[in-house]
């Protein structure tokens, strides 16, 4: 009886099939219908002869964005303009009078290049309304608050509303816009040199500026003349008197006739 009960219990036990280790289970993946075509890999796409022959006709990315390459000297001038704009605007926020010495020290530290008054004169040529230049005296120095009697060249940013003399500062949008205008004006100067070069070819070429998307291959971009400097204010000429006779002669020239007669008598 015990054997029959155990056999009946084993009959109710469900066993799971064991897959031998040597047996390989095959998995199937659904295949695409025959009418569906997969896209070819981009790495295997070859350019057609037509595309290769017309590649030189497609404007480059720089041409499409309107940014023609500039000579190295023009690029450096644009960089110095951006630094000058930043420094002058920062000093105006502090309500400080911006002198050339202050700008020179800051710009040279930012660019690691020399900065001279001639650079300011070139900036005035490219963007005449960006700054106002004056000759002023009694301006504090860089390292002390002592006011100096000699004249110094001062620089002031023209605010967005064009009001001069308010010592106002510029916002970030205005600074970016001024930088774009400066770069655009530099490109216009290079375009003039490019047009002059095209006129010397045989036969001469004439291409409107708005249609020129690249410079002529033979155009000597790096050899064009630099930006002509515009005149900056000069300190007034003051006469120096070395003797008492010089002072007396000047004083007599400003005296009334009766006073002169009285002194002569």
């Amino acid at each position: 009886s015990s054997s029959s009960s155990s056999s009946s219990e084993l009959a109710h036990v469900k066993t799971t099939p064991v897959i031998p280790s040597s047996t390989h289970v095959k998995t199937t993946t659904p295949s695409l219908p025959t009418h569906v075509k997969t896209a070819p890999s981009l790495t295997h796409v070859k350019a057609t002869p037509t595309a290769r022959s017309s590649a030189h006709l497609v404007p480059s990315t720089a041409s499409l964005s309107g940014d023609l390459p500039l000579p190295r000297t023009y690029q450096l001038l644009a960089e110095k303009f951006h630094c000058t704009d930043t420094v002058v605007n920062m000093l105006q926020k502090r309500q400080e009078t911006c002198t050339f010495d202050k700008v020179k020290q800051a710009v040279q530290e930012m660019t690691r290049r020399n900065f001279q008054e001639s650079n300011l004169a070139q900036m005035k040529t490219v963007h005449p309304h960006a700054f106002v230049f004056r000759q002023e005296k009694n301006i504090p120095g860089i390292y002390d608050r002592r006011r100096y009697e000699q004249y110094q060249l001062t620089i002031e940013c023209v605010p967005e509303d064009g009001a001069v003399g308010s010592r106002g500062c510029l916002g970030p949008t205005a600074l970016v816009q001024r930088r774009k205008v400066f770069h655009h004006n530099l490109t216009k100067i290079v375009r003039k040199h490019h047009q002059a070069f095209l006129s010397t070819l045989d036969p001469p070429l004439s291409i409107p500026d708005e249609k020129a998307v690249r410079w002529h291959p033979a155009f000597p971009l790096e050899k064009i003349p630099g930006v002509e400097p515009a005149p900056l204010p000069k300190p007034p000429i003051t006469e120096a008197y070395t003797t008492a006779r010089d002072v007396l002669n000047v004083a007599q020239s400003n005296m009334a006739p009766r006073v002169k007669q009285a002194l002569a008598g």
Side-chain angles (χ1 to χ4, degrees), residues 46 145 179 215 223 254:
K46 296 182 179 180
R145 304 303 298 175
R179 188 176 185 178
W215 306 128
K223 296 182 180 180
N254 296 327

Side-chain angles (χ1 to χ4, degrees), residues 101-237:
D101 292 335
K102 294 179 181 179
V103 174
K104 178 180 179 179
Q105 181 182 9
V107 173
Q108 288 186 162
E109 291 179 357
M110 297 170 68
T111 61
R112 302 299 180 183
R113 297 180 181 276
N114 292 330
F115 187 76
Q116 302 174 350
E117 286 191 15
S118 59
N119 297 133
L120 292 178
Q122 290 176 317
M123 295 177 191
K124 186 178 180 181
T125 299
V126 179
H127 198 340
H129 307 293
F131 303 108
V132 174
F133 302 96
R134 301 186 184 91
Q135 286 288 342
E136 302 181 55
K137 60 180 181 178
N138 297 325
I139 305 297
I142 301 178
Y143 304 104
D144 54 26
R145 304 303 298 175
R146 183 166 60 90
R147 297 180 179 273
Y148 293 87
E149 292 295 330
Q150 65 268 23
Y151 284 90
Q152 299 184 65
L153 179 64
T154 61
I155 311 162
E156 178 185 350
C157 280
V158 179
E160 298 178 46
D161 56 0
V164 179
S166 60
R167 303 288 183 183
C169 57
L170 304 174
T173 304
L175 290 174
V176 172
Q177 182 63 26
R178 286 159 63 92
R179 188 176 185 178
K180 291 181 179 179
V181 171
F182 193 86
H183 187 277
H184 175 72
N185 292 347
L186 280 177
T187 305
K188 289 174 61 177
I189 295 176
V190 181
R191 286 183 184 275
K192 293 181 179 179
H193 292 292
H194 186 248
Q195 289 288 359
F197 168 78
L198 294 179
S199 63
T200 62
L201 298 178
D202 187 18
L205 298 178
S206 179
I207 302 176
D209 290 341
E210 62 275 8
K211 293 185 178 180
V213 296
R214 58 174 59 88
W215 306 128
H216 191 278
F219 177 55
L221 181 64
E222 297 296 338
K223 296 182 180 180
I224 65 174
V227 178
E228 288 291 333
L232 296 176
K234 299 295 182 181
I237 300 176

Side-chain angles (χ1 to χ4, degrees), residues 235-253:
I237 300 176
T238 57
E239 297 181 3
Y241 307 111
T242 56
T243 63
R245 172 59 61 183
D246 295 336
V247 177
L248 181 60
N249 292 336
V250 174
Q252 288 179 350
S253 63

